[in-house]
Amino acid sequence: MTVDRRQLLRLAGAAGLGAGALTGCTASEEGEAIDSGPVELQLWTHDPGYATYFTGAPDDPALVGGSAWTYTVDVTSIAPADIVSRLVNQAVAERPLPNLAGLVIDQFPRVMRAGIAQNLFVDLTSLTEPLGDRLLKTQPYTVDGGVYAIESDNSVSVMYYRADLFDELDIPEDIATWEELLDIGAEVAAETGQAIGMVSNGDNGAIVNGFAQMLLQRGGNLYDADGELAVLSEESIEVLELMAEGVRTGALLSIADPYGGAAAAALKDSQLIATVMPNWYKVYGLEANVPDQAGLWRARTIPAFAAGGHVASTMGGTAFAVLADQAETDAAVDFLQRTYLTPEGQLARYGAGAYLPTLVDLYDTPDFQDITDPYLGDQRIFEVYGAGANDMPVFYQAAGASVLRDSLGGPLLRAIHGQADPEEALREGLRAYERQAPA
């Protein structure tokens, strides 16, 4: 890397990251640029699905045919929260870095201040700009107008529901609004103890993520396009009021971990009969925990808010960045473009790990429209995902996002459980944020 070491030490201190050297990395050191021929790319990721996709891609002529390089990919598995720390530590210690790194969406704000993204990563705007509005989810990875990572999955949030139990309980599958759904959900909860949705009462991340998923659908946001706070709004208050009403009546199940044992038990016992979650929850939440319920579940767009908003939302994601100023950097940019920003790459990525396209016009092509999902009763699932992708809200982040999450979690939870006024809860969280937020 050509980053000045003292500068990166300052950056690491500003980011609250350690500066000690780490071992075990085998990425190539800086050298003369490799402009063609064989190249081995080092990749860090937390997800075996990405490892499978990237290591298999060099053998797919539809992806790499015609490239100036012939690729091999070596993967190192690292926990999501450790990747940013290790990248900075390795750079500071002048130790080898990977060529590509997968950054979970809630970790990316750690590189959004003090020039960290600009020093470590390649600005990929030249790849994303020609795609215009066709390419979704660039905003969470944008710093000072530059795009520094490419999203792997739209993470379109829809409503999954048990079609058999909706029929048995006379719950219409085409309910138009959240308000109608919660009214019916309250009656169902009183009669059977079953819930038509869930909210988290666990850690700050899960609490704020669940709130943000509904807020985005309603048309609000945590930050605006300029990185300024936008969380104190009429939309936020309305969402908190709706969540609190759902918990009060039992329509929404309050649960510690939407991804853990309690949620699995609620699904297995048919206590939780519907939930709004991103597309990846079908694999990691439903199929993993209740494989015996295959064919009973369906998906639809989310009931709208009566006051407006969207019929879809988003939560989660992982984007890949290219490390700058390495011998393999140009090859890594070419490889990422081919595997992530072409129709062939997006189709192959879905086939490898059910990662949804980020090119919105692909949802209407036969390659995707003809896909049926056996777990969802052979439903043509891209009819739902496509409608969601075409009405998906934009999600903005800023450098202080992790501080905001920790500041809001407790106050939001009290509001959701009816223990605090929603507006005052938001103000309390923002006061805490302002005391801690980075400059």
Side-chain angles (χ1 to χ4, degrees):
M1 295 287 291
T2 60
V3 181
D4 179 81
R5 186 173 186 272
R6 291 184 179 179
Q7 181 184 21
L8 259 178
L9 282 168
R10 292 196 296 271
L11 298 181
L17 300 171
L22 297 177
T23 61
C25 297
T26 58
S28 298
E29 297 182 4
E30 178 187 356
E32 185 176 346
I34 302 170
D35 56 14
S36 64
V39 63
E40 181 178 56
L41 300 178
Q42 303 294 325
L43 181 144
W44 289 1
T45 182
H46 69 287
D47 189 329
Y50 297 130
T52 299
Y53 175 61
F54 280 116
T55 55
D59 297 324
D60 187 345
L63 302 181
V64 299
S67 175
W69 296 271
T70 55
Y71 298 102
T72 56
V73 179
D74 183 59
V75 177
T76 299
S77 178
I78 300 177
D82 294 338
I83 289 180
V84 171
S85 299
R86 291 187 65 172
L87 288 173
V88 173
N89 283 335
Q90 293 290 95
V92 167
E94 299 180 355
R95 295 188 61 84
L97 289 162
N99 308 112
L100 293 153
L103 307 174
V104 175
I105 194 168
D106 64 3
Q107 294 296 310
F108 190 81
R110 300 172 65 192
V111 304
M112 295 181 78
R113 57 185 181 272
I116 298 177
Q118 295 92 322
N119 275 280
L120 282 177
F121 306 137
V122 174
D123 183 347
L124 301 169
T125 307
S126 62
L127 303 187
T128 63
E129 197 167 50
L131 297 171
D133 293 340
R134 294 178 58 213
L135 180 65
L136 303 180
K137 286 192 77 172
T138 59
Q139 294 85 358
Y141 310 104
T142 298
V143 185
D144 293 338
V147 179
Y148 287 91
I150 305 297
E151 176 60 69
S152 301
D153 188 334
N154 254 344
S155 301
V156 177
S157 295
V158 298
M159 190 176 86
Y160 296 102
Y161 64 96
R162 282 279 299 273
D164 59 326
L165 295 177
F166 267 47
D167 182 60
E168 180 181 314
L169 295 166
D170 293 323
I171 303 174
E173 295 185 354
D174 59 351
I175 292 174
T177 67
W178 264 113
E179 289 79 2
E180 293 174 83
L181 180 62
L182 288 189
D183 284 344
I184 294 173
E187 296 174 5
V188 169
E191 294 174 6
T192 70
Q194 294 168 307
I196 49 81
M198 62 177 167
V199 298
S200 175
N201 61 21
D203 65 73
N204 290 330
I207 293 166
V208 175
N209 284 344
F211 164 72
Q213 180 178 236
M214 293 193 74
L215 177 61
L216 290 167
Q217 190 208 346
R218 175 60 187 87
N221 226 306
L222 300 179
Y223 293 93
D224 65 19
D226 297 319
E228 300 297 325
L229 284 171
V231 69
L232 184 60
S233 65
E234 293 182 4
E235 291 86 358
S236 293
I237 293 169
E238 180 184 336
V239 165
L240 281 177
E241 290 174 342
L242 184 140
M243 294 174 78
E245 178 65 12
V247 170
R248 185 188 69 79
T249 64
L252 300 179
L253 180 65
S254 182
I255 200 165
D257 183 0
Y259 322 105
L267 291 168
K268 290 175 182 176
D269 294 340
S270 297
Q271 181 186 10
L272 183 63
I273 63 172
T275 186
V276 170
M277 276 289 181
N279 56 282
W280 46 258
Y281 192 79
K282 182 191 73 78
V283 176
Y284 298 107
L286 299 180
E287 292 183 17
N289 290 313
V290 283
D292 57 310
Q293 294 178 10
L296 302 179
W297 288 85
R298 300 289 187 276
R300 54 155 291 179
T301 54
I302 311 171
F305 284 83
H310 305 269
V311 296
S313 190
T314 185
M315 182 170 67
T318 297
F320 279 84
V322 176
L323 278 291
D325 302 321
Q326 298 191 20
E328 304 86 356
T329 291
D330 289 344
V333 170
D334 176 77
F335 184 68
L336 185 62
Q337 181 179 28
R338 289 169 176 274
T339 54
Y340 263 49
L341 295 178
T342 64
E344 296 82 4
Q346 302 230 328
L347 182 61
R349 201 170 66 212
Y350 181 79
Y355 306 115
L356 293 191
T358 52
L359 292 170
V360 69
D361 50 335
L362 295 184
Y363 287 79
D364 295 325
T365 65
D367 282 338
F368 288 97
Q369 280 288 313
D370 291 344
I371 292 173
T372 58
D373 192 316
Y375 190 85
L376 300 174
D378 291 324
Q379 183 177 3
R380 293 169 64 93
I381 188 58
F382 273 85
E383 294 178 355
V384 178
Y385 291 153
N390 278 287
D391 191 33
M392 198 171 79
V394 175
F395 173 55
Y396 297 107
Q397 296 201 96
S402 61
V403 177
L404 182 64
R405 181 177 63 239
D406 290 341
S407 300
L408 282 177
L412 289 182
L413 183 60
R414 289 191 289 278
I416 290 167
H417 284 173
Q419 299 165 350
D421 174 75
E423 182 174 352
E424 181 49 40
L426 290 166
R427 292 187 182 279
E428 177 189 345
L430 291 178
R431 287 194 293 269
Y433 172 79
E434 289 165 357
R435 290 194 294 268
Q436 305 172 66

